[in-house]
Amino acid sequence: MLLSVFLRTIHLIYFKFCWYTARVSKGALSSVVALGANIICNKIPGLAPRQRALCQSRPDAIIVIGEGAQLGINECQYQFRYGRWNCSALGERTVFGQELRVGSREAAFTYAITAAGVAHAVTAACSQGNLSQCGCDQDKQGYHDQEEGWKWGGCSADVKYGVEFSRRFMDAREIKKNARRLMNLHNNEAGRKILEERMKLECKCHGVSGSCTTKTCWITLPNFREIGNLLKERYSDAVQVEPVRATRLRQPSFLRLKQARGYQKPTDTDLVYLERSPNYCEEDRATGSTGTRGRLCNGTSSLADGCNVMCCGRGHNTHHYTRVWQCNCKFHWCCFVKCNTCSEKSEVFTCK
């Protein structure tokens, strides 16, 4: 997968860059930093001009951004592992470029989960001290509520910084002034908004003999699986929209719910799509479909993972396997081990 190769390549380039900058004189350091940033950023395929400029100004962040994008893609593949479309094509042609040409529900989920992944990764890196120019949330310091006996303490995750960095980088690829741009920007923001809403308050008690006379509290990131589950729910309830064009320039200015009365807009956390999804039965690079031929399916399920649905009516092949292993082993004095031979037969179904 290109994104995995990219991460390994950038880690290697960045390591060499840091090794070299540690050995040059202070007078030459600024020129080496600029050269190293250019080398790193020019190696990344699919960056928009503003993304490349941000990369050059913050080369230390590009690794974290790549890890955040990978986090989103991994979660996408987990959430859709039993579906005809399973995110398997994401990240193959470009790292951060547009992957799905059709403005479908799947594209909506892709943009939301990767934007949330980048925000999550940047926020975590700040809390861990792995990024310059950010750290813990400075607004959450000192007493907050003395009457209830708790105060802000520890290192609160600065999700505002992570969200803003994700917004600057992920939204920068939306250059064309069309309806798809509005759709992508909305879904990017929906993913980040859901991450912000799921931040957690954790507290630690202080007092004699384990009493909770006072508490120190801080904000932490949620497990990213929780964000994936919520976005999968939003995917199931995604709403179809259409652009409303400005009267003078005839450019799309905002999105409204399709077939709704008036100019009703989607909510901030709705996932929105412009076009109906293809069936993903056959391979089609234009739609991001890898097809379902050869895919594993469940011979007894009537759900999306079942062979009838997964194989799109083409039928399936049945493969019989027998697994043999040593079992019920016992040690006999002295000195040998005697085992029985166990076997298990299984069936595996794949789509024709």
Side-chain angles (χ1 to χ4, degrees):
M1 196 173 186
L2 179 60
L3 188 49
S4 299
V5 175
F6 155 76
L7 286 171
R8 290 195 298 269
T9 303
I10 296 304
H11 272 99
L12 179 60
I13 295 171
Y14 192 69
F15 172 78
K16 290 181 178 178
F17 162 61
C18 294
W19 178 88
Y20 185 61
T21 54
R23 286 157 175 77
V24 299
S25 63
K26 292 183 179 180
L29 182 59
S30 60
S31 61
V32 171
V33 169
L35 176 61
N38 283 328
I39 293 173
I40 292 173
C41 300
N42 289 335
K43 290 283 186 180
I44 304 174
L47 290 187
R50 282 194 296 161
Q51 288 179 317
R52 199 171 299 280
L54 182 59
C55 173
Q56 291 170 348
S57 65
R58 293 293 307 278
D60 61 326
I62 198 64
I63 295 176
V64 177
I65 291 171
E67 291 172 344
Q70 183 71 71
L71 179 67
I73 290 175
N74 290 346
E75 185 61 28
C76 183
Q77 291 173 348
Y78 173 82
Q79 294 293 339
F80 289 89
R81 64 196 183 281
Y82 298 131
R84 290 178 181 172
W85 181 77
N86 61 356
C87 299
S88 59
L90 297 183
E92 289 184 351
R93 286 175 289 174
T94 62
V95 177
F96 301 113
Q98 182 172 308
E99 300 288 351
L100 299 179
R101 297 179 187 176
V102 178
S104 60
R105 290 172 182 260
E106 292 72 35
F109 184 90
T110 298
Y111 277 77
I113 198 71
T114 51
V118 169
H120 191 283
V122 171
T123 303
C126 289
S127 298
Q128 295 160 6
N130 294 334
L131 275 182
S132 60
Q133 301 182 20
C134 68
C136 304
D137 189 346
Q138 296 300 316
D139 293 335
K140 297 189 171 46
Q141 297 293 331
Y143 282 91
H144 178 73
D145 194 326
Q146 294 184 4
E147 292 183 1
E148 295 187 9
W150 70 279
K151 64 179 182 178
W152 289 118
C155 179
S156 286
D158 193 353
V159 69
K160 291 182 180 178
Y161 184 92
V163 164
E164 180 56 32
F165 204 100
S166 172
R167 185 178 293 122
R168 287 173 60 197
F169 188 87
M170 301 302 290
D171 292 4
R173 60 180 170 173
E174 305 306 326
I175 300 172
K176 298 179 180 179
K177 297 186 179 300
N178 54 19
R180 181 61 188 273
R181 172 180 177 271
L182 295 178
M183 171 190 154
N184 294 343
L185 290 176
H186 178 97
N187 291 318
N188 283 352
E189 199 63 30
R192 292 186 289 256
K193 183 74 172 177
I194 287 175
L195 174 64
E196 281 189 286
E197 290 179 351
R198 304 307 293 185
M199 298 296 290
K200 299 181 182 297
L201 181 69
E202 291 190 0
C203 296
K204 182 178 181 179
C205 287
H206 306 281
V208 180
S209 301
S211 64
C212 209
T213 307
T214 60
K215 288 192 296 185
T216 300
C217 301
W218 58 93
I219 297 294
T220 63
L221 282 163
N223 187 292
F224 199 69
R225 178 56 42 79
E226 182 180 346
I227 305 303
N229 292 337
L230 289 169
L231 285 174
K232 183 64 182 297
E233 293 176 8
R234 297 296 194 280
Y235 163 86
S236 300
D237 298 328
V239 295
Q240 190 170 15
V241 293
E242 59 185 2
V244 175
R245 302 184 182 279
T247 56
R248 182 176 300 177
L249 300 176
R250 303 301 300 165
Q251 292 180 349
S253 55
F254 66 92
L255 299 172
R256 69 166 186 175
L257 300 184
K258 194 170 185 178
Q259 298 178 344
R261 294 182 179 180
Y263 293 99
Q264 185 178 352
K265 296 181 180 180
T267 67
D268 291 343
T269 56
D270 279 336
L271 294 192
V272 302
Y273 66 96
L274 295 166
E275 305 166 80
R276 293 186 180 278
S277 302
N279 59 27
Y280 297 109
C281 289
E282 303 294 336
E283 183 177 0
D284 185 353
R285 292 187 176 276
T287 62
S289 172
T290 57
T292 62
R293 296 182 188 277
R295 285 281 301 278
L296 294 174
C297 60
N298 188 331
T300 60
S301 173
S302 59
L303 302 177
D305 65 330
C307 293
N308 289 337
V309 177
M310 180 71 73
C311 303
C312 305
R314 297 187 304 265
H316 61 274
N317 297 314
T318 303
H319 310 271
H320 297 279
Y321 296 95
T322 301
R323 186 170 70 95
V324 179
W325 72 98
Q326 298 293 305
C327 61
N328 302 321
C329 296
K330 292 183 178 180
F331 176 78
H332 292 267
W333 184 266
C334 175
C335 297
F336 67 95
V337 176
K338 185 176 181 180
C339 299
N340 296 331
T341 300
C342 294
S343 64
E344 181 183 56
K345 293 183 179 181
S346 62
E347 289 182 327
V348 174
F349 306 98
T350 58
C351 292
K352 291 183 177 179

